[in-house]
Amino acid sequence: MPSEAAIGIFDSGIGGLSVLKHIRTQLPNENLLYVSDRAHLPYGEKDKQYILQRSRVITQFLISKNVKAVVIACNTATAAAVKELRESYQLPIIGMEPGVKPAILRSRSGMVGVLATHGTLNRHKFKTLLQDHADGSEVIICPCDGWVEAIEQNGHDHQTTRQIVSQQLQPILERGVDTLVLGCTHYPFVKKMIADEAGPDISIIDTGPAVAKQLQRQLSAHNLLSEATTPGSEAFWCSAPPRQTQKRIESLLQVPVRLQLLPEPK
Ligand code: DGL
């Protein structure tokens, strides 16, 4: 596999762009291919088999584009599919999970809130994460109903999105958490709304930068880091008609993009 091959990144929608941004900063000369599976979101409300099947379709597509590594820029898809994908494919597959461990380390009160989808919170992988790290701390979970849909439909800076975020944060804030984990890649786009609601004394943990570092480590370990000295390119695919997603991506990345329709297997 040549080191000049691209890195494949996918999510159910635009959430994974919050990870792509960190990858771009960490690895400026790598070529990136991004897939938004918008026709099938929210993953958070789907069962394991459904997400696994979509993750396989997308991974196959990325492999057909000769990627050298795949980043599952989605906590929900990682919880449902990372193990099986790693068993099926040889290339490095980088997944992500809610930053419970760093949150517990940072928390002074021992009260931590995890914001994530039902799909992430109900999966065995998350329960194991809590068992392994929550020792002595209280972890309060918040299945953020409708956040992903609101961010996809209305954007990250919309009154309706703000109402949904604010309403569902209240109960968890009232419990006295001092650290909040963004356990879904869509949520960094509403980090400011969350911070406005939570106030300055509450820390907010986003695992996007750690995922970009882990990707760099994996590429380096496999001798796959690009040796290019010029800025890398980005290409985008979407499983739903691209028009609306194109606007969202352009507004989030602040550059014009060309979005292509994801081909589905026959
Ligand atoms: N962005 C995804 C995550 O990190 C989930 C979005 C969805 O529910 O589709 O979990």
Side-chain angles (χ1 to χ4, degrees):
M1 174 60 66
S3 59
E4 298 324 308
I7 296 161
I9 304 168
F10 76 90
D11 178 44
S12 62
I14 52 176
L17 296 174
S18 66
V19 181
L20 178 141
K21 281 182 164 192
H22 293 292
I23 294 174
R24 179 45 78 225
T25 308
Q26 187 81 19
L27 298 164
N29 301 336
E30 298 285 350
N31 297 323
L32 308 178
L33 306 186
Y34 185 89
V35 176
S36 153
D37 197 14
R38 189 175 208 278
H40 299 272
L41 69 71
Y43 280 1
E45 305 299 321
K46 305 287 193 305
D47 65 27
K48 179 181 164 80
Q49 280 317 314
Y50 189 98
I51 301 170
L52 181 55
Q53 190 264 341
R54 290 307 302 163
S55 301
R56 283 194 197 282
V57 166
I58 296 167
T59 303
Q60 288 285 6
F61 168 74
L62 290 168
I63 288 173
S64 78
K65 296 285 172 196
N66 295 319
V67 297
K68 60 185 175 186
V70 170
V71 179
I72 310 175
C74 175
N75 294 266
T76 314
T78 301
V82 71
K83 184 170 169 286
E84 289 80 354
L85 293 185
R86 285 185 180 143
E87 282 163 6
S88 304
Y89 305 103
Q90 292 299 314
L91 77 180
I93 296 181
I94 289 84
M96 58 194 302
E97 63 188 14
V100 170
K101 201 173 147 189
I104 286 171
L105 286 174
R106 183 171 309 180
S107 172
R108 286 150 301 163
S109 65
M111 298 280 283
V112 164
V114 179
L115 312 172
T117 67
H118 283 279
T120 296
L121 298 172
N122 291 334
R123 216 66 78 198
H124 176 70
K125 197 168 185 301
F126 180 73
K127 293 183 176 148
T128 312
L129 181 71
L130 285 191
Q131 267 162 20
D132 291 350
H133 299 291
D135 195 26
S137 297
E138 191 163 350
V139 177
I140 299 153
I141 58 170
C142 176
C144 302
D145 286 317
W147 289 29
V148 167
E149 295 93 319
I151 294 165
E152 291 276 340
Q153 295 292 333
N154 313 311
H156 57 294
D157 191 18
H158 191 278
Q159 198 44 34
T160 313
T161 311
R162 184 176 287 276
Q163 263 164 16
I164 292 172
V165 167
S166 150
Q167 226 172 45
Q168 292 184 35
L169 268 181
Q170 278 322 311
I172 194 168
L173 293 173
E174 279 163 17
R175 298 282 299 275
V177 298
D178 70 351
T179 310
L180 284 172
V181 175
L182 305 182
C184 166
T185 53
H186 281 73
Y187 307 164
F189 292 124
V190 290
K191 186 173 174 183
K192 183 163 179 327
M193 283 181 190
I194 296 170
D196 288 348
E197 212 55 51
D201 297 333
I202 295 192
S203 306
I204 300 176
I205 307 270
D206 171 16
T207 45
V211 171
K213 284 209 181 84
Q214 174 63 1
L215 170 64
Q216 181 169 36
R217 276 194 292 270
Q218 286 282 321
L219 292 179
S220 168
H222 290 84
N223 243 337
L224 286 172
L225 277 172
S226 167
E227 284 162 17
T229 51
T230 50
S233 62
E234 279 126 33
F236 299 90
W237 280 267
C238 182
S239 57
R243 208 161 19 99
Q244 194 187 1
T245 300
Q246 172 145 355
K247 285 202 201 106
R248 286 268 177 274
I249 295 180
E250 289 180 338
S251 103
L252 291 172
L253 298 184
Q254 297 286 298
V255 286
V257 300
R258 193 166 80 86
L259 193 60
Q260 302 170 69
L261 190 61
L262 181 75
E264 294 292 336
K266 306 253 151 49

